[in-house]
Structures are given as C-alpha cells and as structure tokens.
C-alpha cells in the first residue's frame, strides 16, 4: 500500500511541471492574441517617436545657435527644422541674401550683427585690412558651422532624454529615445553636409532696400567669371558688406569690370509714373549703359499721353524703344523727340558696342473691347504678328554688323528670329519668361526673354486680387557682347514696397542658359482659343 502511494506521488510530481508549462503557454498565447495588447505596443512605439521628434525640435530651437566672428563682424548662426533646406544671410538693416545652398531638413541662418570696434577702426585706417578680414572669413564660417552642428546635436539628444524621462519614467525607453534622437539629428546634419552646393552663392536672391542690392550682391561679371570657388565667393561677399558698414557718406557701388555692358530691359509701362522712379533708381545704382523698352509705354496712344514720355530725357542714357500695341504713331514720334531716344521700326542701331534690331507691333489696339483687331485672336492677327518677326529676321540677316539683340513687342513674333541672333527681348504678356527658341540645324541658339510689366500693368494691375508687381531686368554683356548674367528685379505691386532681386549666371555665354525649348506659332498655323501657359502666343488682350 505504501509503495502504491509513493508511486502515485511520484507520478503527480512529474506531471505538475508539464501542466504548469502548458498553462503558462496557453496564458501567453491568449494574451498575445488579444488586439488590445498589439494596440498598446503600437501606441508605445508611436509615443516613443513623438517624444523623440518633439525633443529634437525643442533641442534644435533651444540650443541650435552659436555666436562667432566672421571678419569684422560678430555673427549669429542658427539652425532650424525645414523641409527644403537653404541658407539666409541677414544683413540688418540692409536686407538679406537667400541661397539654395543644400537639401535636407535643416535651415541655416547667418545674421551679421555688431562690428568689433577695434577691428572696425583698423578697417577704416587701413584698407588692406578688409582684404585680410575677407580671406579669414571662410575659416571663420567653417569653424562656426562645425560648432553649431555639434551643439545642435548635443542639445537635441539632451532635450530628448529629459522629455523621455518626464513622460516614460523608464530608463530603457529613455535610452531608446536618446539613441533615436542621435541617429535622426546626425543623419539630418549629414544629409545637409552631403548636399552642399558651393555654387549657390553665385546666384543669390536679394530681399531688402533696392539701393543696397548692387553693393551686396556684387558685380555680375566678377561673380560669373572671377569667383568660381566657394571660398572666393564668400570672401567677396564679406568684403562687400565690410565696405558697406565702414562707409560713412554713401553706400559704395562697384564699377563694372572692364568691357562689361549693362542693359536695363523695361516693358509695358502703361502710364504708371512709379515706373519712372524705379527706372531712375536702377539706372543710377546699377550703372546702366543702355535702356531698352519693348513697348506699351502708354495706354491709349493719345496726344495728352505724349507728355508721359518726357521722363526719358531725364535718364541721360541711350533709350532704345519699339512701339507696342497700345502705342500709336503719335506716341512713337513723342519718344523720338527725346534727345537720348532711338526708335526702331524694322531697323538697327549700335549703342555701347551692342548692335540692336527692332520692329514695332503691327497692331494698334488701345481698347481691347471695341477694336476689331482686339476682339479676338484670329488667324489674320496671328499672321500679322508673326509676319513682323519674319520682316525683322530679314533685316537682321542683311545687317552688315552682327546683331546682338532683337526686339519685338509680342513674343509670338520671335519664332522667325531663331538662329539669326543670340537674344530676343519682348514684353506684352505682363509675365516674365525665359526660354529657348527651337534651334534650326546649323544655326546658333537663340534665347527669348519676355519681360513682365515695369508699370505693374497700369490700372489693369489693380483688377486682380493682388496688384501686379513692377518688373525689370538688368542684363550683363561681356566683351564679346554675349549675355553672361542677368538680375531679375521685382517690386511689389501698387501700394507695396518689397523689393526682390534674383541673380542668374549663364554657365556658357556662347550657348546661353539651359532653358526649356517651347514651340512658337508658325505663319498660317491653326490659332488656339487662348495662350498656353509658358508659351509665346500672339495675344491682343494686353
């Protein structure tokens, strides 16, 4: 009996562990199969990500800034989260330069602040000090950016650890959050460093007071040809700003490099007197050699409007003009009476070494609602507009001197000029465009540049929700009279004073910019019901 009891006891002891394991396995399987458990796990992961990202952003804003010396300046560098990247160089109170310097989720801001008194006095007493300060600027910026990156990384990780400790109160989760913050922040900074574009400083976008633009951005020829490396570009930028701050009487404007010709392209003034003030400022501050007007200087072409063109003589620079569809023969005659004006009508002229050919618009449509020619875009109107382009192309080809620039009012007239000259200027659309004309085999490429409205489209500019901006372009030609760079200047519409300047450098002046090829209408082709965005199409509605 005792042996039987012992045997049963041993059997029970051996079975107990197996039964316990089965129960625990079943319990775990039951809990894992519950949706609530999976949701809690997903929620924990999401909470970890949210805490980490919040800590990175907070740490970047709290610690992502350093002070450093750049040349004679005490500068402030800061990083902030961004989807597209880039750099802003603030030069208070003169304005700011915006550079498309890198990609990635980080944005760099450099603010040039106070001047060191001792170094400023040295700059004033010894002009060579400016050069020495400029040369040290590259290393100053490099060291400042390195310190900024390390400080931002440390601040982001520390802020994430503190936030994770407050939220989770768990050492393991704090460690996960800190490690994730380290990886994300270091990866973002590494992406920005890997995608740095040093050449971005060649094409800055300036925002601020127009009078300061030439001195801050610098001379186009020197930027395009002399400063091909980032270090040299940065040295020139710091040198420019140093001279601005150390000049007492007036802001300096650099003289054009030898052989550079500066042309100001304006169009579609439409009786806006504000346009003349803007033109005078540009002519004075940018050292303009020639002003080119591609038409529509008036609205109705009437005799009382003729007095509006009297401001041309005040510019004291050659003023090359062609008639637009809002300008009458009386308007063209009034322009021709100005002492510095040259009116082209299927003719050529040579000014400041540039040979320019131009032809007026074949239409006169001051009232688009009642004029027969302005009642719609017909095949007859298209043939007229394209026909003047063909006439001018013949004139250009027969010119004893190679034509550098051809002028038409409507960009639809530009098609026949492809291959006859390197550059065609137009207006009429009240919208700025730059594109390549279809290239003919064996002929040179031709770029078409369409100006917006220098007068903000006149009263028409107030018809939309926002005023039409005032636009004009400064063109820089080298000694061979090829376009090497251009500045697009935009002033906010009537009642607005914001000024933007965008620099564009031609990589190969002999070939022009790499811009998209857009078809132009041909004579006798079917006429569309309206203009296609981005294409030069005859339009009688401007």
């Amino acid at each position: 009996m005792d042996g039987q009891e012992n045997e049963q006891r041993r059997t029970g002891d051996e079975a107990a562990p197996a039964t316990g394991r089965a129960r625990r396995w079943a319990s775990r399987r039951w809990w894992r199969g519950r949706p609530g458990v999976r949701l809690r796990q997903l929620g924990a992961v999401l909470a970890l990500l949210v805490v980490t990202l919040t800590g990175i952003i907070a740490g970047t804003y709290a610690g992502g800034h350093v002070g450093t010396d750049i040349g004679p300046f005490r500068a402030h560098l800061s990083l902030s989260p961004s989807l597209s990247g880039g750099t802003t160089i603030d030069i208070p109170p003169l304005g700011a330069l915006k550079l498309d310097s890198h990609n990635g989720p980080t944005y760099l801001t450099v603010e040039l602040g106070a001047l060191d008194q001792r170094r400023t006095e040295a700059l004033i007493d010894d002009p060579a000090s400016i050069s020495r300060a400029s040369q040290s600027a590259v290393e100053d910026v490099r060291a400042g950016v390195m310190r900024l990156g390390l400080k931002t990384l440390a601040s982001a990780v520390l802020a994430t650890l503190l936030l994770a400790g407050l939220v989770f109160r768990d050492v393991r989760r704090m460690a996960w959050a800190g490690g994730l913050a380290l990886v994300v922040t270091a990866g973002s900074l590494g992406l920005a460093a890997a995608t740095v574009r040093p050449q971005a400083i060649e094409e800055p976008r300036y925002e601020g007071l127009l009078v300061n633009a030439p001195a801050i951005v610098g001379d186009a020829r020197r930027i395009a040809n002399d400063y091909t490396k980032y270090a040299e570009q940065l040295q020139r930028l710091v040198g420019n700003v140093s001279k601005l701050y150390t000049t007492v009487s007036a802001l300096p404007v650099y003289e054009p490099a030898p052989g550079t010709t500066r042309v100001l392209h304006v169009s579609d003034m439409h009786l806006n007197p504000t346009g003349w003030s803007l033109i005078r400022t540009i002519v004075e501050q940018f050292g303009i050699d020639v002003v080119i007007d591609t038409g529509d200087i008036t609205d109705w072409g009437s005799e009382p409007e003729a007095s509006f063109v009297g401001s041309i003589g005040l510019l004291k620079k050659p003023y090359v003009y062609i008639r637009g569809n809002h300008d009458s023969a009386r308007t063209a005659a009034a322009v021709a009476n100005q002492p510095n004006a040259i009116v082209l009508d299927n003719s050529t002229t040579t000014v400041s070494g540039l040979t320019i050919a131009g032809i007026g618009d074949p239409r006169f449509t001051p009232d688009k609602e009642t004029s027969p020619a302005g009642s719609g875009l017909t095949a007859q109107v298209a043939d007229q507009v394209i026909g003047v382009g063909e006439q001018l192309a013949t004139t250009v080809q027969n010119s004893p001197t190679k034509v550098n620039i051809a002028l038409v009012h409507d960009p639809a007239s530009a098609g026949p000029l492809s291959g006859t000259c390197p550059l065609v200027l137009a207006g009429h659309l009240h919208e700025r465009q730059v594109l390549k004309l279809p290239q003919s085999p064996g002929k040179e490429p031709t770029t078409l540049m369409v100006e917006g409205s220098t007068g903000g489209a006149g009263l028409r500019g107030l018809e939309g929700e926002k005023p039409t901006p005032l636009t004009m372009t400064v063109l820089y030609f080298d000694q061979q009279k090829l376009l090497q760079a251009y500045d697009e200047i935009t002033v906010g519409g009537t009642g607005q004073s914001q000024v933007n300047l965008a620099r564009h450098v031609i990589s190969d002046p002999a070939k022009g910019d790499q811009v998209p090829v857009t078809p132009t209408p041909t004579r006798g082709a079917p006429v569309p019901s309206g203009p296609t965005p981005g294409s030069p199409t005859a339009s009688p509605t401007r």
Side-chain angles (χ1 to χ4, degrees), residues 94-98 205-210 216 498-501:
L94 303 177
L97 293 178
K98 295 185 180 296
R205 181 165 60 89
Y206 172 76
E207 294 184 356
L209 298 176
L210 185 61
I216 294 178
Q498 179 65 38
V499 176
N500 296 324
L501 183 148

Side-chain angles (χ1 to χ4, degrees), residues 294-502:
T294 48
D296 276 2
I297 195 170
T298 61
D299 248 339
W300 300 89
S302 61
E303 185 174 356
E305 291 174 286
S307 61
F308 178 73
V309 307
S311 295
I312 293 176
L314 301 177
L315 298 176
K316 301 186 185 303
K317 298 289 182 180
Y319 194 97
V320 182
Y321 163 87
I322 61 169
R323 190 179 62 80
N325 61 295
H326 281 263
D327 301 330
S328 65
R330 183 183 290 112
T331 302
V335 173
N337 287 333
Q338 299 302 309
N340 56 325
I342 302 170
V343 178
L344 298 179
D345 194 6
N346 198 25
S347 56
T348 63
T349 186
T350 299
V351 184
S352 295
L354 291 167
T355 299
I356 306 170
I359 192 168
D361 196 279
R363 303 159 292 180
F364 178 50
T365 57
D367 187 349
K368 62 184 180 181
E369 300 297 331
T370 60
S371 171
S375 59
L377 183 57
T378 65
Q380 180 182 4
V381 172
D383 282 347
Q384 289 179 341
V385 173
I386 298 170
V388 298
E390 295 173 346
Q391 295 176 41
L392 186 60
T394 300
T395 301
V396 171
Q397 291 168 344
N398 294 335
S399 173
T401 306
K402 177 177 174 56
V403 172
N404 306 114
I405 308 172
L407 311 180
V408 294
H409 178 65
D410 193 326
S413 302
L417 292 162
S418 177
T420 64
C421 61
L423 179 64
V424 179
L425 302 182
H428 186 63
L429 300 182
H430 299 176
E431 181 180 0
R432 185 182 272 140
Q433 298 180 13
V434 180
L435 48 87
K436 284 277 191 181
L437 294 176
Q439 186 173 355
S440 302
K443 294 187 178 181
E444 65 178 335
T446 301
T447 300
L448 171 64
M449 302 184 72
V450 183
E451 189 55 72
S453 175
T454 307
L459 293 177
R460 295 172 182 79
L462 302 177
E463 294 175 354
E465 293 183 2
K466 295 183 179 179
T468 300
L470 282 66
T471 65
M472 56 183 60
T473 303
V474 178
L475 309 172
Y476 301 86
F477 294 85
D478 59 19
Q479 292 181 348
Q480 289 72 40
K481 305 309 175 187
L482 294 175
L483 183 66
Q484 60 164 340
Y486 59 95
D487 289 340
E488 292 180 337
I489 299 172
T490 305
V491 180
T494 303
Q496 301 179 7
S497 58
Q498 179 65 38
V499 176
N500 296 324
L501 183 148

Side-chain angles (χ1 to χ4, degrees), residues 13-24:
D13 292 342
E14 294 173 357
T19 303
R21 286 195 298 271
R23 288 175 180 174
R24 288 194 298 272

